[in-house]
mmCIF file of all heavy atoms in Angstrom:
data_model
loop_
_atom_site.group_PDB
_atom_site.id
_atom_site.type_symbol
_atom_site.label_atom_id
_atom_site.label_comp_id
_atom_site.label_asym_id
_atom_site.label_seq_id
_atom_site.Cartn_x
_atom_site.Cartn_y
_atom_site.Cartn_z
ATOM 1 N N GLU Y 1 119.415 -105.644 173.729
ATOM 2 C CA GLU Y 1 119.288 -106.295 175.039
ATOM 3 C C GLU Y 1 120.652 -106.343 175.541
ATOM 4 O O GLU Y 1 121.614 -106.994 175.098
ATOM 5 C CB GLU Y 1 118.748 -107.733 174.802
ATOM 6 C CG GLU Y 1 118.435 -108.401 176.047
ATOM 7 C CD GLU Y 1 117.743 -109.738 175.825
ATOM 8 O OE1 GLU Y 1 117.587 -110.252 174.700
ATOM 9 O OE2 GLU Y 1 117.384 -110.436 176.855
ATOM 10 N N LEU Y 2 120.785 -105.785 176.702
ATOM 11 C CA LEU Y 2 122.064 -105.696 177.552
ATOM 12 C C LEU Y 2 121.884 -106.674 178.575
ATOM 13 O O LEU Y 2 120.893 -106.848 179.270
ATOM 14 C CB LEU Y 2 122.454 -104.283 178.020
ATOM 15 C CG LEU Y 2 122.346 -103.197 176.966
ATOM 16 C CD1 LEU Y 2 122.603 -101.916 177.555
ATOM 17 C CD2 LEU Y 2 123.349 -103.581 175.788
ATOM 18 N N GLN Y 3 123.085 -107.235 179.091
ATOM 19 C CA GLN Y 3 123.234 -108.138 180.274
ATOM 20 C C GLN Y 3 124.369 -107.677 180.969
ATOM 21 O O GLN Y 3 125.503 -107.624 180.567
ATOM 22 C CB GLN Y 3 123.263 -109.569 179.879
ATOM 23 C CG GLN Y 3 123.320 -110.526 180.977
ATOM 24 C CD GLN Y 3 123.237 -112.064 180.507
ATOM 25 O OE1 GLN Y 3 122.365 -112.362 179.867
ATOM 26 N NE2 GLN Y 3 124.082 -112.773 181.057
ATOM 27 N N GLY Y 4 124.206 -107.591 182.459
ATOM 28 C CA GLY Y 4 125.337 -107.228 183.292
ATOM 29 C C GLY Y 4 126.059 -108.529 183.573
ATOM 30 O O GLY Y 4 125.733 -109.733 183.109
ATOM 31 N N GLY Y 5 127.007 -108.414 184.521
ATOM 32 C CA GLY Y 5 127.790 -109.546 184.951
ATOM 33 C C GLY Y 5 127.068 -110.484 185.763
ATOM 34 O O GLY Y 5 125.903 -110.118 186.386
ATOM 35 N N ILE Y 6 127.733 -111.746 186.022
ATOM 36 C CA ILE Y 6 127.155 -112.636 186.843
ATOM 37 C C ILE Y 6 126.973 -112.154 188.377
ATOM 38 O O ILE Y 6 127.878 -111.601 188.792
ATOM 39 C CB ILE Y 6 127.826 -114.030 186.745
ATOM 40 C CG1 ILE Y 6 127.069 -115.242 187.379
ATOM 41 C CG2 ILE Y 6 129.211 -113.916 187.308
ATOM 42 C CD1 ILE Y 6 127.560 -116.532 187.138
ATOM 43 N N GLU Y 7 125.894 -112.558 189.007
ATOM 44 C CA GLU Y 7 125.692 -112.194 190.423
ATOM 45 C C GLU Y 7 125.184 -113.473 191.094
ATOM 46 O O GLU Y 7 124.385 -114.143 190.664
ATOM 47 C CB GLU Y 7 124.683 -111.074 190.587
ATOM 48 C CG GLU Y 7 125.027 -109.782 189.875
ATOM 49 C CD GLU Y 7 123.957 -108.733 190.054
ATOM 50 O OE1 GLU Y 7 123.169 -108.811 190.972
ATOM 51 O OE2 GLU Y 7 123.906 -107.823 189.225
ATOM 52 N N MET Y 8 125.700 -113.659 192.363
ATOM 53 C CA MET Y 8 125.230 -114.793 193.134
ATOM 54 C C MET Y 8 124.161 -114.223 194.187
ATOM 55 O O MET Y 8 124.464 -113.162 194.824
ATOM 56 C CB MET Y 8 126.428 -115.412 193.911
ATOM 57 C CG MET Y 8 127.512 -115.900 192.973
ATOM 58 S SD MET Y 8 126.844 -117.109 191.886
ATOM 59 C CE MET Y 8 126.531 -118.424 192.834
ATOM 60 N N VAL Y 9 123.092 -114.859 194.108
ATOM 61 C CA VAL Y 9 121.913 -114.409 194.998
ATOM 62 C C VAL Y 9 121.559 -115.543 195.933
ATOM 63 O O VAL Y 9 121.431 -116.714 195.480
ATOM 64 C CB VAL Y 9 120.737 -113.905 194.201
ATOM 65 C CG1 VAL Y 9 119.551 -113.546 195.004
ATOM 66 C CG2 VAL Y 9 121.157 -112.785 193.170
ATOM 67 N N LEU Y 10 121.275 -115.251 197.082
ATOM 68 C CA LEU Y 10 120.843 -116.152 198.151
ATOM 69 C C LEU Y 10 119.277 -116.378 197.994
ATOM 70 O O LEU Y 10 118.666 -115.348 198.206
ATOM 71 C CB LEU Y 10 121.248 -115.815 199.517
ATOM 72 C CG LEU Y 10 121.001 -116.703 200.741
ATOM 73 C CD1 LEU Y 10 121.727 -118.126 200.405
ATOM 74 C CD2 LEU Y 10 121.361 -116.013 201.946
ATOM 75 N N SER Y 11 118.815 -117.567 197.856
ATOM 76 C CA SER Y 11 117.269 -117.747 197.712
ATOM 77 C C SER Y 11 116.755 -117.660 199.123
ATOM 78 O O SER Y 11 117.192 -118.213 200.021
ATOM 79 C CB SER Y 11 117.208 -119.108 197.184
ATOM 80 O OG SER Y 11 115.804 -119.491 197.298
ATOM 81 N N LYS Y 12 115.605 -116.898 199.102
ATOM 82 C CA LYS Y 12 114.846 -116.767 200.454
ATOM 83 C C LYS Y 12 114.171 -117.983 200.795
ATOM 84 O O LYS Y 12 113.847 -118.211 201.865
ATOM 85 C CB LYS Y 12 113.839 -115.461 200.240
ATOM 86 C CG LYS Y 12 114.587 -114.223 200.107
ATOM 87 C CD LYS Y 12 113.539 -113.180 199.901
ATOM 88 C CE LYS Y 12 114.282 -111.740 199.674
ATOM 89 N NZ LYS Y 12 113.188 -110.734 199.497
ATOM 90 N N THR Y 13 113.872 -118.778 199.812
ATOM 91 C CA THR Y 13 113.030 -119.976 200.145
ATOM 92 C C THR Y 13 113.847 -121.169 200.416
ATOM 93 O O THR Y 13 113.577 -121.987 201.353
ATOM 94 C CB THR Y 13 112.029 -120.315 198.901
ATOM 95 O OG1 THR Y 13 112.841 -120.545 197.733
ATOM 96 C CG2 THR Y 13 111.075 -119.360 198.660
ATOM 97 N N THR Y 14 115.003 -121.397 199.648
ATOM 98 C CA THR Y 14 115.793 -122.600 199.879
ATOM 99 C C THR Y 14 117.019 -122.353 200.672
ATOM 100 O O THR Y 14 117.637 -123.230 201.237
ATOM 101 C CB THR Y 14 116.299 -123.172 198.539
ATOM 102 O OG1 THR Y 14 117.083 -122.374 197.814
ATOM 103 C CG2 THR Y 14 115.054 -123.473 197.715
ATOM 104 N N GLY Y 15 117.517 -121.126 200.757
ATOM 105 C CA GLY Y 15 118.692 -120.756 201.473
ATOM 106 C C GLY Y 15 120.005 -121.080 200.642
ATOM 107 O O GLY Y 15 121.019 -121.035 201.147
ATOM 108 N N ASN Y 16 119.769 -121.509 199.382
ATOM 109 C CA ASN Y 16 120.892 -121.834 198.526
ATOM 110 C C ASN Y 16 121.190 -120.737 197.617
ATOM 111 O O ASN Y 16 120.333 -119.927 197.245
ATOM 112 C CB ASN Y 16 120.692 -123.026 197.753
ATOM 113 C CG ASN Y 16 120.490 -124.291 198.622
ATOM 114 O OD1 ASN Y 16 121.170 -124.491 199.530
ATOM 115 N ND2 ASN Y 16 119.653 -125.193 198.140
ATOM 116 N N PHE Y 17 122.416 -120.533 197.052
ATOM 117 C CA PHE Y 17 122.876 -119.535 196.186
ATOM 118 C C PHE Y 17 122.422 -119.946 194.724
ATOM 119 O O PHE Y 17 122.472 -121.169 194.515
ATOM 120 C CB PHE Y 17 124.331 -119.306 196.245
ATOM 121 C CG PHE Y 17 124.682 -118.418 197.356
ATOM 122 C CD1 PHE Y 17 125.192 -118.994 198.490
ATOM 123 C CD2 PHE Y 17 124.658 -116.986 197.278
ATOM 124 C CE1 PHE Y 17 125.585 -118.241 199.641
ATOM 125 C CE2 PHE Y 17 124.942 -116.286 198.388
ATOM 126 C CZ PHE Y 17 125.431 -116.944 199.508
ATOM 127 N N TYR Y 18 122.072 -118.936 193.910
ATOM 128 C CA TYR Y 18 122.046 -119.253 192.514
ATOM 129 C C TYR Y 18 122.603 -118.170 191.765
ATOM 130 O O TYR Y 18 122.718 -117.032 192.262
ATOM 131 C CB TYR Y 18 120.536 -119.317 192.101
ATOM 132 C CG TYR Y 18 119.581 -118.214 192.339
ATOM 133 C CD1 TYR Y 18 119.373 -117.346 191.384
ATOM 134 C CD2 TYR Y 18 118.971 -118.145 193.618
ATOM 135 C CE1 TYR Y 18 118.482 -116.268 191.633
ATOM 136 C CE2 TYR Y 18 118.125 -116.966 193.730
ATOM 137 C CZ TYR Y 18 118.033 -115.988 192.839
ATOM 138 O OH TYR Y 18 117.007 -115.001 192.970
ATOM 139 N N ALA Y 19 123.005 -118.360 190.523
ATOM 140 C CA ALA Y 19 123.688 -117.425 189.655
ATOM 141 C C ALA Y 19 122.616 -116.724 188.705
ATOM 142 O O ALA Y 19 121.649 -117.372 188.353
ATOM 143 C CB ALA Y 19 124.668 -117.977 188.778
ATOM 144 N N THR Y 20 122.741 -115.395 188.602
ATOM 145 C CA THR Y 20 121.809 -114.627 187.756
ATOM 146 C C THR Y 20 122.516 -113.473 187.144
ATOM 147 O O THR Y 20 123.682 -113.162 187.608
ATOM 148 C CB THR Y 20 120.496 -114.191 188.572
ATOM 149 O OG1 THR Y 20 119.593 -113.588 187.708
ATOM 150 C CG2 THR Y 20 120.972 -113.228 189.668
ATOM 151 N N ALA Y 21 121.871 -112.899 186.315
ATOM 152 C CA ALA Y 21 122.460 -111.568 185.636
ATOM 153 C C ALA Y 21 121.270 -110.730 185.357
ATOM 154 O O ALA Y 21 120.206 -111.133 184.752
ATOM 155 C CB ALA Y 21 123.250 -111.889 184.356
ATOM 156 N N LYS Y 22 121.396 -109.367 185.539
ATOM 157 C CA LYS Y 22 120.270 -108.408 185.322
ATOM 158 C C LYS Y 22 120.369 -108.140 183.739
ATOM 159 O O LYS Y 22 121.355 -108.110 183.148
ATOM 160 C CB LYS Y 22 120.575 -107.260 186.057
ATOM 161 C CG LYS Y 22 120.255 -107.531 187.603
ATOM 162 C CD LYS Y 22 120.361 -106.259 188.453
ATOM 163 C CE LYS Y 22 120.096 -106.682 189.918
ATOM 164 N NZ LYS Y 22 120.678 -107.792 190.469
ATOM 165 N N LYS Y 23 119.195 -107.797 183.194
ATOM 166 C CA LYS Y 23 119.132 -107.476 181.834
ATOM 167 C C LYS Y 23 118.274 -106.156 181.679
ATOM 168 O O LYS Y 23 117.528 -105.796 182.534
ATOM 169 C CB LYS Y 23 118.314 -108.469 181.049
ATOM 170 C CG LYS Y 23 119.009 -109.849 180.833
ATOM 171 C CD LYS Y 23 118.212 -110.758 180.056
ATOM 172 C CE LYS Y 23 118.935 -112.158 180.116
ATOM 173 N NZ LYS Y 23 118.069 -113.111 179.425
ATOM 174 N N ALA Y 24 118.622 -105.421 180.667
ATOM 175 C CA ALA Y 24 117.903 -104.231 180.231
ATOM 176 C C ALA Y 24 117.900 -103.931 178.777
ATOM 177 O O ALA Y 24 118.648 -104.613 178.021
ATOM 178 C CB ALA Y 24 118.556 -102.935 180.978
ATOM 179 N N PHE Y 25 116.946 -103.156 178.273
ATOM 180 C CA PHE Y 25 116.915 -102.816 176.822
ATOM 181 C C PHE Y 25 117.143 -101.422 176.650
ATOM 182 O O PHE Y 25 116.713 -100.524 177.465
ATOM 183 C CB PHE Y 25 115.567 -103.252 176.364
ATOM 184 C CG PHE Y 25 115.287 -104.695 176.279
ATOM 185 C CD1 PHE Y 25 114.685 -105.380 177.354
ATOM 186 C CD2 PHE Y 25 115.605 -105.362 175.135
ATOM 187 C CE1 PHE Y 25 114.452 -106.704 177.274
ATOM 188 C CE2 PHE Y 25 115.385 -106.784 175.067
ATOM 189 C CZ PHE Y 25 114.773 -107.455 176.138
ATOM 190 N N ILE Y 26 117.927 -101.013 175.586
ATOM 191 C CA ILE Y 26 118.112 -99.609 175.215
ATOM 192 C C ILE Y 26 117.723 -99.372 173.748
ATOM 193 O O ILE Y 26 118.034 -100.200 172.898
ATOM 194 C CB ILE Y 26 119.439 -99.113 175.501
ATOM 195 C CG1 ILE Y 26 120.562 -99.958 174.750
ATOM 196 C CG2 ILE Y 26 119.857 -99.163 177.056
ATOM 197 C CD1 ILE Y 26 121.981 -99.270 174.715
ATOM 198 N N PRO Y 27 116.966 -98.394 173.511
ATOM 199 C CA PRO Y 27 116.599 -98.053 172.086
ATOM 200 C C PRO Y 27 117.844 -97.692 171.138
ATOM 201 O O PRO Y 27 118.898 -97.164 171.750
ATOM 202 C CB PRO Y 27 115.636 -96.911 172.199
ATOM 203 C CG PRO Y 27 115.982 -96.207 173.392
ATOM 204 C CD PRO Y 27 116.432 -97.378 174.398
#
């Protein structure tokens, strides 16, 4: 399970930013 760096995303519903990171799996 791999995780990328932190990203700040603007919420479409609240208009506030939240922190997230994308994940992927490699065999």
